[in-house]
Structures are given as structure tokens and as C-alpha cells.
Amino acid sequence: MVRKIIQIDEEKCNGCGLCAAACHEGAIGMVDGKARLLRDDYCDGLGDCLPACPTGAIRFVEREAAAYDEAAVMENKKKKMQAEGMKLSGGCPGSRARTLEREQGGCSPMGAMPSQLTQWPVQIKLAPINASYFNGANLLIAADCTAYAYGSFHQDFIRGRVTLIGCPKLDMVDYTEKLEQIIRENEIRSLTVVRMEVPCCGGIEHAAVTALKNSGKFIPWQVVTISTDGRILER
């Protein structure tokens, strides 16, 4: 398949190893003092390694490459940890999928409105593609700034939905491929995209809408735009 994947310029690489440390999948290794992509199927195409490189030796290209294989990545991590006498317990705690049980009604001990979040993780980059909570879900894909700009975000948007957030400008990735997989491989009932009015937020809207179209599924969807002063501009 042709997909987005990293390419390392060995001439620019200074051998610092920061990219290898930043790659959670183990796709990058140090060979003869230079960073090298070890296996195509270990690279998820999200680019955590790009901002870690101080010389700009890493970039995205589109080429024929094996699909990202999460199972192979986890098996490789397990082998490495076993070799070091450690036990793999489901990967990084911050990216371990889990459902959060919420009591209905009431307030938190400090008097604040209770959280409506029902699953973890929420970052698009960290969310497992086949997490059980996606099946039958009303999916919310939101720019991360929206929850700070719009005061009733939990009540009006997170409640009753499975939430994914991201910022394509700061993350420097295109979420389209992963969102397409999530929509295609799970029974998503509806899609709501919440973005800010600023132009750079168009990236998350484009990724979500393109992913839905590419998935071949026909489900209800809407895009909501929030102003920088916290008003709903479009719905």
C-alpha cells in the first residue's frame, strides 16, 4: 500500500538518538552511529520523531510501504522488556484504553460540574483503533482548544459521546488515515467535529470529514465552529 511514512536523511543525521527515543513504536534504531528506519510496519506515520530531531533530518514521504502493524509493535516491545527482566502490562499507562464509569447527577466535591468523559485516552495519536468503546459510539473529534474556549464543553459536547482531541498544527501530523481506520473498523453511529474559528483548525475538520468520506460509510455528521471568545458560530 502507498502511505505516509518517515524518511531519514543520513547526511543530516548527527547521531544524537533523540528520534529513536521519541519513537514509541521502536521503528527507529541507531545503526553505525546514524538513525535508521528499521521496519516500515513499526512506523505509525504520526511523526513523534520529527520535532525531536535537531537537524531536520526526518521528513514525511508517501511511498509503497507495509501497513502499520500494532500487534507486531507490541510483540517487539514485549520481547525487549522480557530481555531486560521487565513485564509488559499493556503498554504505556497513558495510552491504555479503558472505559470510565460516571455517576449520574451531582457535583464534584469542590462544587464543580462533573466530568462527562467516559473513556481514555482522548488524544487521537494515542487512541487504539479498535478500542471496545468505539462500537456503537457517537464520536466527537475536537480541536483541543475548544474545551478551553467554550465553557459548557463537557455538558454540550462530551456528554453521550466518545471523545478524541488533537491539534494538527502542534502535532504536525495528518490524522486522516487513523480516523479513517477508526470509522471504518468500528460501528460509529454519528460524528461531531468541533473546531475553533482560527484557520489552522481547518486541519482537524478536513481530516475528520475526509476520513468519513474515505471510510465508505454514511453516518450523520456535523461541524461546529467555536469563536475565540467562546461562542458557537456554526452548527
Side-chain angles (χ1 to χ4, degrees), residues 24-25 73-81 88:
H24 305 296
E25 285 69 35
V73 168
M74 293 303 297
E75 182 62 26
N76 183 53
K77 287 183 179 181
K78 181 178 179 180
K79 289 179 180 178
K80 285 184 177 180
M81 295 181 76
L88 183 68

Side-chain angles (χ1 to χ4, degrees), residues 16-35:
C16 67
L18 292 175
C19 59
C23 179
H24 305 296
E25 285 69 35
I28 301 175
M30 303 304 295
V31 179
D32 297 328
K34 295 287 186 177

Side-chain angles (χ1 to χ4, degrees), residues 118 129-140 159-163 182-191 217 219-220:
T118 58
I129 291 170
N130 298 114
S132 59
Y133 48 69
F134 282 130
N135 284 313
N138 294 302
L139 182 60
L140 169 66
R159 184 170 57 180
R161 296 184 175 97
V162 167
T163 303
I182 290 173
I183 295 170
R184 186 194 309 117
E185 298 181 21
N186 299 282
E187 293 300 321
I188 304 297
R189 296 172 56 191
S190 68
L191 172 64
K217 292 189 174 181
I219 61 176

Side-chain angles (χ1 to χ4, degrees), residues 101-164:
E101 299 295 334
R102 298 288 183 191
E103 293 184 7
Q104 297 300 314
C107 295
S108 70
M110 295 183 67
M113 294 301 295
S115 170
Q116 298 297 317
L117 191 66
T118 58
Q119 104 289 336
W120 188 268
V122 295
Q123 287 283 349
I124 297 172
K125 293 172 64 175
L126 298 179
I129 291 170
N130 298 114
S132 59
Y133 48 69
F134 282 130
N135 284 313
N138 294 302
L139 182 60
L140 169 66
I141 299 173
D144 49 17
C145 292
T146 55
Y148 294 94
Y150 187 75
S152 299
F153 194 82
H154 274 252
Q155 295 298 319
D156 292 355
F157 294 111
I158 294 181
R159 184 170 57 180
R161 296 184 175 97
V162 167
T163 303
L164 294 178

Side-chain angles (χ1 to χ4, degrees), residues 35-112:
R36 184 175 298 175
L37 178 61
L38 302 177
R39 285 180 49 159
D40 287 0
D41 59 344
Y42 284 4
C43 178
D44 59 10
L46 296 178
D48 287 347
C49 55
L50 269 70
C53 179
T55 64
I58 307 174
R59 65 187 181 96
F60 280 125
V61 296
E62 287 196 4
R63 63 170 173 83
E64 189 72 29
Y68 173 61
D69 189 339
E70 186 174 9
V73 168
M74 293 303 297
E75 182 62 26
N76 183 53
K77 287 183 179 181
K78 181 178 179 180
K79 289 179 180 178
K80 285 184 177 180
M81 295 181 76
Q82 287 175 338
E84 297 171 1
M86 300 169 66
K87 182 178 179 181
L88 183 68
S89 57
C92 169
S95 60
R96 194 175 305 147
R98 61 183 187 269
T99 299
L100 307 176
E101 299 295 334
R102 298 288 183 191
E103 293 184 7
Q104 297 300 314
C107 295
S108 70
M110 295 183 67

